Amino acid sequence: MRTLVAAAALVLAGCGRPDGIIVGAKNFTEQRVLGELVAQTAEATGLPVVRRFDLGGTFVCDAALRAGDLDAYVEYTGTALTAVLKEPPDTDPARVRERVAAAYAQAGLAWLPPLGFDNTFALVVRGDEVPRTISAAVTAARGWRAGFGYEFQTRPDGYPALGRTYGLTFAEIRTMDLGLLYRALVDRQVDLVVGSATDGLIEAHGLRILTDDRRAFPPYEAAPVVREDTLARHPTLRTALIALGGTLDETTMRRLNYAIDGEHREVAEVVRAWRSNPRR
């Protein structure tokens, strides 16, 4: 992991520090959408913006933000709590927000209001599978092949949390790129994948989320995280990003994600259309 973060830092450093603000994003569809939303919102205030998307996982973006190689990106509260801060999981959304905001403030980083949706981990199966909850799937899962993204297997709020809460195990675990998970499930290469509750392809492929009936996962409210020195230099940016709070619910986020993954539209176009008519 340290090698990955160091490599990303070298890439960012090699690019030099451009004028304006630098907006980052991780390497999956929703992050590109949210990164573009932050970028277009900043541009609407008159600020020049440099986009640095597909930077890798949580730790790469976090390291770049703390080093000043990014000014902002969208993070998830539960991810910040357990993966970045390495604190015990907590199921209370308000308490998680308070804990991460206080810890990040010590590093000069501000958590702005959540965008309005909770993108929790989702255990996804084909629509013809019988179990409806994770508890009900425990026995069957011992014979299943599971598909995970690279971070999920080792993150304390990921597979270890499922083990602690449900005793869930699989016959085989395949680690793969997030963009390949649903195709592998539909093609019956695996029997279960772990995605996100707002993934647009879940409904499009007739798939189903197993209910997390014992609350293994903490809340994952998406919110812009911004360097305080950036907000001090550009006070209009704070106002504009605060105004995004509560504007995206799970259904809307799922629809935006599907516009990219299912309809193959350009991210910038999808975000621009939503910003022009966010209530549709």
Side-chain angles (χ1 to χ4, degrees):
M1 180 58 67
R2 282 194 294 268
T3 301
L4 181 61
V5 172
L10 286 172
V11 170
L12 288 168
C15 295
R17 175 75 199 192
D19 295 332
I21 70 164
I22 308 172
V23 176
K26 306 180 197 182
N27 58 341
F28 58 93
T29 297
E30 181 168 292
Q31 277 280 299
R32 297 179 194 109
V33 171
L34 297 177
E36 184 64 25
L37 176 59
V38 170
Q40 289 190 20
T41 300
E43 287 172 335
T45 72
L47 288 172
V49 174
V50 174
R51 292 160 173 80
R52 288 185 175 161
F53 297 172
D54 293 301
L55 290 179
T58 298
F59 304 105
V60 175
C61 288
D62 181 72
L65 186 71
R66 292 171 188 272
D69 294 316
L70 293 180
D71 291 294
Y73 81 103
V74 174
E75 187 53 274
Y76 305 92
T77 53
T79 301
L81 180 71
T82 60
V84 177
L85 301 176
K86 304 195 184 311
E87 295 188 14
D90 189 332
T91 59
D92 183 84
R95 196 161 54 225
V96 172
R97 286 195 302 270
E98 291 172 2
R99 289 171 65 184
V100 298
Y104 274 62
Q106 296 176 25
L109 306 175
W111 277 77
L112 299 185
L115 297 173
F117 67 93
D118 180 353
N119 189 10
T120 186
F121 284 121
L123 273 64
V124 183
V125 296
R126 289 180 290 273
D128 57 1
E129 290 289 355
V130 174
R132 296 284 167 175
T133 66
I134 299 178
S135 291
V138 169
T139 300
R142 296 185 188 124
W144 285 353
R145 300 157 297 172
F148 292 170
Y150 295 108
E151 290 185 1
F152 182 78
Q153 190 163 355
T154 56
R155 277 176 46 168
D157 58 332
Y159 188 43
L162 287 176
R164 291 191 303 270
T165 307
Y166 296 100
L168 192 67
T169 60
F170 299 97
E172 179 185 354
I173 294 174
R174 299 181 182 179
T175 304
M176 60 185 70
D177 186 89
L178 294 172
L180 302 176
L181 289 173
Y182 294 116
R183 176 48 55 192
L185 183 59
V186 170
D187 290 347
R188 297 184 178 271
Q189 298 173 22
V190 294
D191 304 293
L192 173 147
V193 299
V194 177
S196 299
T198 53
D199 287 341
L201 292 179
I202 294 174
E203 292 178 8
H205 286 310
L207 305 173
R208 185 163 46 78
I209 296 174
L210 296 177
T211 301
D212 180 13
D213 51 307
R214 296 185 187 171
R215 299 289 298 273
F217 302 128
Y220 297 92
E221 295 181 299
V225 185
V226 191
R227 292 183 59 84
E228 281 284 9
D229 54 4
T230 301
L231 295 173
R233 291 196 308 271
H234 308 292
T236 57
L237 178 63
R238 184 191 297 268
T239 302
L241 293 178
I242 286 175
L244 290 177
T247 60
L248 286 170
D249 59 17
E250 282 85 356
T251 300
T252 301
M253 194 67 243
R254 197 176 296 124
R255 176 164 50 83
L256 296 178
N257 287 335
Y258 180 72
I260 311 302
D261 291 332
E263 299 172 351
H264 308 294
R265 293 165 58 192
E266 293 294 325
V267 172
E269 170 208 340
V270 169
V271 173
R272 194 175 300 114
W274 180 81
R275 291 186 68 248
S276 68
N277 188 9
R279 300 302 177 189
R280 65 195 175 105

